[in-house]
Amino acid sequence: MTTTVQSVAAAPRQASRPARRRHRENGTGWAFIAPFGVFFLLFLIVPVVGGIWLSFTGQTLTGRGGDFIGIANYAEALADSDMWRSIGNTIWFTVLSTVPLIVIALVMAVLVGLGLPGQWLWRLSFFLPYLLASSVVSLFWIWMYNPQLGLINSFLGFFGGEPVAWLQDPDVAMIAIVVTTVWWTVGFNFLLYLAALQNIPEQQYEAAALDGAGKWRQLFSITIPQLAPTTVLLVILQVLASLKVFDQIYQMTGGGPGGATRSTVEYIFEAGFTGYRFGYSSAISYIFFALIVIVSISQFTIMNRRGARS
Amino acid sequence: MSSQLLIEERSATSAHPPAFTRKPKKARITPAGVGAVLVLALLAIAWLVPFVWAVITSLKTETDAGSTPVTLVPASGFTFDAYAKVLGEGNVLTWTFNSLFTSVMITLITVVTSALAAYAFSRLDFSGRRWLYAVVIGAIIIPPQVLIIPLFYEMLTLGLVDTYWGIILPQVIAPAMVFVLKKFFDQIPIELEEAARVDGASRLRVFLTIVLPLSRAVLAAVSIFVFIAAWNNFLWPFIVTNDTALMTLPVGLQTVKSAYGVQYAQSMALAILAALPLIIVFLIFQRQIIKGIATTGLGGQ
């Protein structure tokens, strides 16, 4: 619009000026980006590209076998029942852990949000485990799960129950890992719910109380619907976090018994650092990455569709 | 990584620190209230038991810790023997130092480089800004676990295996932090900077003297979360260190775990010692939150 108003004589200058103005801070801009950019290039882009290259080679830790072998690694991985089992275990862990990690966090937050006495104690007990390193958590729980001396079996024995080999029995080992995981990380979801809870306008509750709605009614008609955006976000983040599980499984069961708890990241780790097959391990890494991307995209598609509908 | 994003976004976008803003309402004593307290107490006990049990075990003699039936109060009384033995072996202190050093370095480098980059993405006009920002944001989706093999291979090539830099450098890229900081810088009124710019201040000067002081809260939040993540990180330091003298706490703990075997008291003492530093940091951090509420409460009036 403005160019039509301006005189023809000024046109050449006008044409060159916007281009220069648009990028007038190239030097400064790139200087600010540079420190981050160098690390980003060296320790993110290079490994991403390097990993793709490795996945098409037979590279080993010893340095041999670096020749291009095409899609052989991918073909082998897709036919590898151990890999599929690790993906199955990972998905099973994700399903088992996500529900309690959301539901228990919500229950904790709603109860603490009531403003009962002992606020400091509740918050500290629920959040504290989140501050522990996985190795500490694993040491605690290996001890809790000890078949003869563990507190859990002693507790069961007190009520006449039979001792359970929590981490040695393939039927219950994954459950035991999930219990540990919930104990460890629920505090983070709890804090986010608590923060969201305190952003719900007090007036809504007052209005509902005036209309005669009891506490339960308020919980289901105000609190839970108002927390829905937080719940959606937490589910998305939780699923992605659970799919990447490695630490506590590796430390508590080593993927055992008999591979019953081995996750995909653990399989990547073992193929690379126990089997010394860097090429093959990289191929599994990218199959796993594809899984993560597919899950992320479907989550965001579902979220957007729901958002558009409401 | 991505789960940390949320909390920072909150503290970045809201003037009030999360979770501590509203004063607890006074609850009347009702049957439902009693029920709620009971459920809360049960949950809190369940969550505290593994801690308490570890502490109790660590204060027993090895004989008591390993004997059945399991008792709360050991036959030969409580003792600090297990702690003395664990500390006497010396490794724990080395690992604590290694954890502290690498985590501080990771935090420093991450926060400085991310803040500079975020400011450039937020305010500076340079060619390639858009696509570069798109690449950085896209990189949030890449799980660090996927890169362990090529990164280790790279570290072998660079000769950084079993060095502090080998632990530190691959952990300093945090695209999610760039995102959080950029969002925050976007909200700072541009007029504040323009006045200084007119007076001839350079971009760096504006960044250091105007933008950074305004961003203290968000920078603190980012630093704390980067630090905790680095302190607790297991997989990468585990891969890149074989030398016991260079291990971080989580890695050292995992490698000596089997060496302690049936010495349950010592193994729990080790776990408690490893847990303590961050718990102490958290208790200090908590006080800062409360202070923050006091100041924002006064400033808000």
Side-chain angles (χ1 to χ4, degrees):
Chain A
M1 282 303 279
T2 42
T3 44
T4 52
V5 181
Q6 267 141 14
S7 70
V8 184
R13 257 181 76 210
Q14 289 293 324
S16 65
R17 234 165 119 216
R20 215 193 290 152
R21 186 192 288 158
R22 205 180 298 148
H23 303 306
R24 64 187 167 184
E25 291 179 307
N26 272 342
T28 328
W30 283 92
F32 270 72
I33 296 287
F36 176 84
V38 168
F39 291 130
F40 188 79
L41 186 72
L42 274 179
F43 302 112
L44 202 103
I45 302 294
V46 166
V48 165
V49 176
I52 293 175
W53 167 252
L54 278 177
S55 74
F56 291 107
T57 71
Q59 186 74 48
T60 59
L61 180 64
T62 53
R64 260 175 295 172
D67 301 328
F68 185 81
I69 54 166
I71 59 159
N73 285 327
Y74 288 94
E76 186 186 341
L78 292 176
D80 181 348
S81 62
D82 283 344
M83 187 203 75
W84 287 112
R85 190 168 179 214
S86 79
I87 290 181
N89 286 339
T90 305
I91 292 172
W92 183 226
F93 171 84
T94 305
V95 172
L96 282 180
S97 62
T98 300
V99 175
L101 275 169
I102 300 294
V103 174
I104 296 177
L106 179 64
V107 171
M108 285 173 167
V110 166
L111 288 174
V112 170
L114 289 174
L116 300 161
Q119 290 288 313
W120 180 82
L121 176 72
W122 313 130
R123 283 168 199 196
L124 197 68
S125 5
F126 299 150
F127 188 68
L128 212 52
Y130 186 75
L131 292 168
L132 303 178
S134 56
S135 323
V136 175
V137 171
S138 299
L139 272 177
F140 280 5
W141 281 89
I142 289 170
W143 181 226
M144 291 286 288
Y145 287 136
N146 187 301
Q148 289 85 38
L149 302 162
L151 202 59
I152 293 184
N153 277 351
S154 308
F155 188 72
L156 287 179
F158 185 75
F159 292 102
E162 287 295 306
V164 179
W166 293 101
L167 298 173
Q168 293 78 26
D169 180 342
D171 294 330
V172 293
M174 190 60 101
I175 309 279
I177 300 273
V178 167
V179 169
T180 301
T181 308
V182 170
W183 178 83
W184 182 23
T185 61
V186 79
F188 181 79
N189 295 353
F190 156 74
L191 266 199
L192 289 192
Y193 263 133
L194 200 61
L197 204 63
Q198 292 174 335
N199 284 331
I200 301 177
E202 186 71 15
Q203 296 93 306
Q204 293 198 8
Y205 290 104
E206 286 161 8
L210 280 180
D211 291 343
K215 286 282 179 198
W216 280 106
R217 188 63 206 275
Q218 290 179 20
L219 175 65
F220 288 104
S221 305
I222 301 174
T223 311
I224 292 178
Q226 287 279 341
L227 291 177
T230 312
T231 307
V232 170
L233 260 173
L234 284 181
V235 170
I236 289 177
L237 294 176
Q238 192 57 61
V239 166
L240 289 176
S242 287
L243 287 174
K244 298 170 198 164
V245 66
F246 169 77
D247 293 13
Q248 65 270 46
I249 292 182
Y250 179 76
Q251 293 160 356
M252 291 174 70
T253 65
T261 57
R262 186 197 278 133
S263 71
T264 312
V265 174
E266 185 173 353
Y267 194 56
I268 293 170
F269 173 83
E270 284 174 4
F273 295 101
T274 314
Y276 301 135
R277 299 183 62 196
F278 278 14
Y280 187 54
S281 178
S282 297
I284 304 169
S285 300
Y286 280 90
I287 292 172
F288 175 66
F289 186 30
L291 177 78
I292 295 273
V293 171
I294 291 168
V295 170
S296 314
I297 291 173
S298 27
Q299 281 183 329
F300 282 102
T301 316
I302 294 169
M303 193 178 72
N304 283 340
R305 222 180 271 160
R306 286 181 114 207
R309 215 186 293 149
S310 63
Chain B
M1 180 56 65
S2 55
S3 55
Q4 286 161 15
L5 179 72
L6 249 178
I7 235 184
E8 269 123 35
E9 245 193 307
R10 274 169 196 288
S11 39
T13 51
S14 112
H16 305 285
F20 298 90
T21 41
R22 189 188 292 169
K23 277 184 207 149
K25 292 168 279 178
K26 280 274 175 230
R28 268 171 294 146
I29 300 167
T30 59
V34 174
V37 172
L38 271 178
V39 176
L40 260 184
L42 278 178
L43 277 170
I45 289 169
W47 252 253
L48 286 175
V49 157
F51 270 110
V52 175
W53 186 234
V55 172
I56 291 177
T57 307
S58 72
L59 294 172
K60 290 178 176 179
T61 61
E62 290 298 350
T63 326
D64 282 340
S67 63
T68 46
V70 173
T71 52
L72 277 183
V73 181
S76 36
F78 291 108
T79 162
F80 282 97
D81 280 2
Y83 288 92
K85 283 216 182 80
V86 167
L87 284 171
E89 271 155 41
N91 279 334
V92 186
L93 295 177
T94 315
W95 296 334
T96 309
F97 171 79
N98 291 343
S99 274
L100 192 68
F101 178 70
T102 54
S103 306
V104 166
M105 290 301 285
I106 290 166
T107 310
L108 268 177
I109 299 176
T110 307
V111 173
V112 170
T113 58
S114 302
L116 282 170
Y119 182 73
F121 285 131
S122 171
R123 288 285 199 263
L124 301 181
D125 224 350
F126 58 97
S127 49
R129 173 169 84 158
R130 275 206 175 169
W131 67 259
L132 202 59
Y133 187 59
V135 169
V136 172
I137 295 310
I140 293 177
I141 200 178
I142 302 172
Q145 292 89 341
V146 164
L147 300 179
I148 53 173
I149 300 290
L151 258 180
F152 183 76
Y153 195 68
E154 196 181 337
M155 292 297 132
L156 274 180
T157 318
L158 296 172
L160 290 177
V161 173
D162 264 330
T163 64
Y164 282 132
W165 290 113
I167 301 174
I168 294 166
L169 290 176
Q171 294 190 67
V172 301
I173 316 114
M177 299 303 127
V178 176
F179 174 75
V180 168
L181 289 167
K182 186 208 176 258
K183 283 265 173 258
F184 184 85
F185 293 151
D186 283 347
Q187 291 177 343
I188 297 177
I190 201 154
E191 293 78 22
L192 293 174
E193 294 169 53
E194 271 168 357
R197 296 279 294 152
V198 169
D199 291 345
S202 71
R203 277 294 186 184
L204 188 63
R205 206 184 152 80
V206 169
F207 177 69
L208 292 176
T209 56
I210 298 175
V211 177
L212 283 191
L214 287 171
S215 319
R216 257 187 230 138
V218 69
L219 289 171
V222 168
S223 307
I224 285 161
F225 284 97
V226 171
F227 182 85
I228 293 179
W231 181 276
N232 283 341
N233 194 3
F234 172 72
L235 182 56
W236 178 250
F238 182 58
I239 287 170
V240 85
T241 43
N242 294 306
D243 183 349
T244 321
L246 286 170
M247 286 175 177
T248 59
L249 261 182
V251 178
L253 225 56
Q254 168 66 17
T255 47
V256 294
K257 199 176 71 186
S258 51
Y260 278 92
V262 294
Q263 293 169 304
Y264 301 112
Q266 283 180 51
S267 124
M268 285 304 112
L270 194 66
I272 298 287
L273 284 175
L276 267 185
L278 207 55
I279 292 178
I280 294 169
V281 167
F282 174 70
L283 293 177
I284 298 166
F285 167 58
Q286 264 238 9
R287 243 176 266 147
Q288 281 177 333
I289 291 177
I290 294 162
K291 217 184 189 178
I293 296 168
T295 42
T296 45
L298 283 175
Q301 288 173 354

